[in-house]
Every structure is written in C-alpha cells, then in structure tokens.
Amino acid sequence: MSPRVSRREQLVEHATRLFVEQGYHATSVRQITQAADCNEAALYYHFPKGKRELLQAVIEEQTPDLVDALEHCQ
C-alpha cells in the first residue's frame, strides 16, 4: 500500500510539472487545480497568497535536487 499524498503535495507536484512545461506566467491557477483534481479554494487554503506562494513551495521542493545536480558538475 502506497503512502497517501497530501493535497498540498499534489498541488506542488502538478504545479512543478506545469511550470516546467508551460512556464510560470502561462500556467493558470485553474490549470493547476484541474490537474490536481481539486477546486481553487483548496489551493488558496494551502497557499493563501496564491500562485506566487505555490511557486515558492515548488522552488523549495526542487532546491535539494538542484544542489545535488550542481555538486556533480564540479
């Protein structure tokens, strides 16, 4: 049985994918919530400042991978 992924984690996961595919400015809150199968109220519950706060969470989530990748470049 796989561990349950929280709604917040789902939003970050789908936002990450959409931001990479389409860019931050071209990705709407509606697209993120549709991909995560939730409504906009759920997004704003977890990220009261909206898409900008969600981007910050995406960056924080991806930072360890980025740091690891950069260390291998040295």
Side-chain angles (χ1 to χ4, degrees), residues 8 12 15-16 19 24 47 49-63:
R8 185 181 195 287
V12 170
T16 300
F19 292 160
Y24 173 78
F47 303 97
K49 295 179 183 172
K51 190 169 84 165
R52 184 177 199 93
E53 187 175 355
L54 181 52
L55 175 62
Q56 182 176 346
V58 167
I59 292 168
E60 289 171 0
E61 176 81 17
Q62 297 302 315
T63 299

Side-chain angles (χ1 to χ4, degrees), residues 12-65:
V12 170
E13 177 183 323
H14 289 289
T16 300
R17 180 180 54 79
L18 289 167
F19 292 160
V20 167
E21 290 175 359
Q22 303 176 170
Y24 173 78
H25 292 292
T27 301
S28 69
V29 167
R30 179 171 293 207
Q31 289 173 314
I32 296 166
T33 57
Q34 286 177 340
D37 195 29
C38 67
N39 58 33
E40 289 184 28
L43 184 140
Y44 287 106
Y45 173 80
H46 294 287
F47 303 97
K49 295 179 183 172
K51 190 169 84 165
R52 184 177 199 93
E53 187 175 355
L54 181 52
L55 175 62
Q56 182 176 346
V58 167
I59 292 168
E60 289 171 0
E61 176 81 17
Q62 297 302 315
T63 299
D65 293 335

